[in-house]
């Protein structure tokens, strides 16, 4: 991999946040910053991956759209994500746990985008989607 050296001047506040993150995960500040930068750089990759799938949903029949719109994040994913979020608050995560949490957050975001697209299409078909906004078991995706 081709690399470039970069010198940055950052605020003390940002440095302290990176230092805490690095200490919690047993890494250097440089590694924590590189991970954060890599995460930001790869965020755009979610849209192209989903674009085709979301576009194809216009061909689904209403019963299929209702199934998608009413679906729930698998309980094992939701439980593991919540567990990692709580552990992060208590004591921090290992590098492996950070990666697991990021994977689960991406899965959660993808799930919500597909579900929202199904609801949007149902609304465009003239369906009453008000029951989709009733509370159900769902966790918030924690920032990683």
């Amino acid at each position: 991999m081709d690399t470039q050296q970069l010198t940055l001047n950052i605020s003390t506040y940002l440095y302290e946040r990176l230092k805490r993150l690095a200490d919690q995960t047993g890494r250097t500040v440089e590694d924590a910053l590189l991970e954060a930068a890599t995460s930001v750089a790869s965020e755009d990759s979610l849209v192209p991956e989903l674009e085709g799938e979301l576009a194809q949903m216009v061909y689904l029949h209403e019963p299929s759209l209702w199934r998608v719109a009413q679906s729930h994040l698998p309980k094992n994913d939701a439980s593991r994500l919540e567990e990692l979020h709580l552990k992060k608050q208590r004591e921090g995560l290992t590098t492996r746990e950070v990666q697991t949490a990021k994977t689960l957050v991406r899965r959660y975001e993808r799930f919500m985008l597909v579900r929202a697209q199904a609801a949007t299409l149902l609304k465009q078909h003239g369906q009453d989607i008000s029951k989709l906004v009733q509370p159900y078991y769902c966790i918030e995706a924690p920032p990683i």
Side-chain angles (χ1 to χ4, degrees), residues 39-127:
S39 175
V40 169
S42 66
E43 281 181 13
D44 291 340
S45 66
L46 181 64
V47 174
E49 174 190 319
L50 280 176
E51 193 172 345
E53 183 178 344
L54 295 175
Q56 291 298 314
M57 288 178 69
V58 299
Y59 301 111
L60 292 178
H61 296 289
E62 286 180 10
S64 297
L65 290 171
W66 276 110
R67 276 193 299 282
V68 172
Q70 294 172 320
S71 64
H72 299 279
L73 188 66
K75 285 192 179 202
N76 59 335
D77 286 353
S79 297
R80 182 67 176 140
L81 187 56
E82 183 175 25
E83 176 186 304
L84 290 170
H85 178 64
L86 294 173
K87 183 176 184 228
K88 179 183 176 193
Q89 291 176 331
R90 281 192 320 270
E91 60 194 82
L93 300 176
T94 65
T95 302
R96 188 175 197 179
E97 288 170 328
V98 167
Q99 289 305 324
T100 299
K102 284 183 178 185
T103 298
L104 290 169
V105 166
R106 275 190 227 103
R107 200 175 294 167
Y108 171 81
E109 289 170 342
R110 181 183 187 286
F111 165 80
M112 293 305 292
L113 282 171
V114 170
R115 200 169 161 231
Q117 176 70 356
T120 299
L121 292 169
L122 286 166
K123 179 77 172 166
Q124 289 173 356
H125 290 195
Q127 296 290 314

